[in-house]
Amino acid sequence: MFRRTTAAALSPAAPIRIPSPAALLLFPIRLQSTSTAAMASDTPMEDVIRTKVTEALSPSRLEIFNDSHKHAHHKPMQNSTSRETHFRLVITSDAFRAKMQPARHRLVYGLLRDEMAADGGIHALQLRTMTPEEEARQAANASEEGKA
């Protein structure tokens, strides 16, 4: 399993496994070996989100943005010790077929119910959910707009 890491966490002695090019397109993050990954994570909430969403929805695309630093000065966050309270997710999954946006969002909220209810857990969650066809359509529209 690969995890997000900082350059400081990579030791020269630890072997680095390189995933397939397709995996890099889906998860463009810095990688560390599984031996180093056994150490405590700097992003436990992000790790839980990634695990739960991946296991339940098998997304072809999953992007997780931790926007907590943008909200640290807000009054409700002043007494929070968590640095992982505000997230933005972009999820592409076949599991969203035949579901309207509210149903898709309820599905993701249901997956993360415990993390949202926990003290110091997720305070805000912004979702962008789509099927692979919707993502392809958006990419085609964006490329056409770029030509104009």
Side-chain angles (χ1 to χ4, degrees):
M1 186 76 193
F2 292 99
R3 296 181 177 268
R4 177 178 293 198
T5 185
T6 61
L10 293 174
S11 72
I16 305 282
R17 287 195 234 156
I18 306 297
S20 69
L24 286 174
L25 289 174
L26 293 175
F27 303 101
I29 56 177
R30 295 189 61 129
L31 304 173
Q32 70 184 27
S33 71
T34 54
S35 61
T36 310
M39 297 170 31
S41 172
D42 289 337
T43 57
M45 188 65 70
E46 181 178 335
D47 296 344
V48 169
I49 293 170
R50 185 173 310 281
T51 300
K52 286 188 171 188
V53 170
T54 300
E55 288 176 357
L57 303 177
S58 301
S60 57
R61 176 181 175 193
L62 173 58
E63 292 180 315
I64 300 175
F65 301 92
N66 184 346
D67 293 334
S68 302
H69 64 282
K70 297 178 182 178
H71 304 277
H73 65 281
H74 293 176
K75 190 169 185 160
M77 299 294 99
Q78 288 177 352
N79 295 327
S80 177
T81 57
S82 175
R83 293 186 349 234
E84 295 185 286
T85 55
H86 293 68
F87 289 95
R88 207 169 9 113
L89 307 182
V90 179
I91 308 169
T92 301
S93 174
D94 285 326
F96 296 139
R97 286 191 203 287
K99 288 183 173 62
M100 300 298 290
Q101 287 294 341
R104 295 174 183 185
H105 289 204
R106 279 192 300 272
L107 179 62
V108 176
Y109 285 134
L111 292 173
L112 302 174
R113 178 182 300 119
D114 294 340
E115 290 71 26
M116 295 183 80
D119 188 34
I122 298 173
H123 175 76
L125 186 61
Q126 178 183 351
L127 300 174
R128 182 169 164 222
T129 57
M130 60 197 122
T131 64
E133 293 78 17
E134 291 168 343
E135 182 179 39
R137 213 171 21 248
Q138 287 179 5
N141 290 342
S143 67
E144 287 178 16
E145 290 175 6
K147 293 177 185 177

